[in-house]
Amino acid sequence: MSAHRTSFDAKPLSHSVSECLDDYFRSLNGHSPAELYDMILDQVEPPLLRATLRYCDNNQSRAAEMLGLNRATLRKKLRHHRITAKPAR
């Protein structure tokens, strides 16, 4: 997967994720986290879904397309995370 950059010179998202993970590991003081992969997905996926839905004015078909998911998978993930689409204004 390639990092997508916008016209302004923003740092790639992977840079921010890396910094957050470095901070997280430092805070563990040598302890080992359990099920790190699932924990990270549970922390990252809900804000990704919410932000994408907001960007798409809660159009689930558009959001699913942007995320590279089919609509049924998006709906399953929304239910899993207990995310409800807000009606458009």
Side-chain angles (χ1 to χ4, degrees):
M1 180 184 289
S2 65
H4 296 282
R5 294 187 85 122
T6 58
S7 59
F8 58 93
D9 196 26
K11 290 189 255 183
L13 180 59
S14 60
H15 182 78
S16 296
V17 171
S18 183
E19 286 179 348
C20 287
L21 285 170
D22 289 343
D23 290 345
Y24 175 75
F25 287 124
R26 272 192 297 276
S27 75
L28 291 175
N29 294 322
H31 297 281
S32 293
E35 300 179 13
L36 181 61
Y37 184 80
D38 288 336
M39 182 189 73
I40 296 296
L41 285 182
D42 282 342
Q43 292 290 310
V44 172
E45 198 169 48
L48 170 63
L49 299 175
R50 285 186 191 100
T52 304
L53 280 169
R54 274 193 313 272
Y55 184 81
C56 294
D57 294 323
N58 292 302
N59 182 314
Q60 291 183 11
S61 295
R62 279 186 54 217
E65 185 177 329
M66 282 185 70
L67 291 164
L69 304 172
N70 68 46
R71 201 176 83 192
T73 300
L74 173 60
R75 293 172 74 115
K76 180 179 175 182
K77 290 177 177 294
L78 294 173
R79 279 191 307 276
H80 172 77
H81 294 293
R82 296 185 174 113
I83 298 170
T84 56
K86 308 279 191 275
R89 293 182 201 179

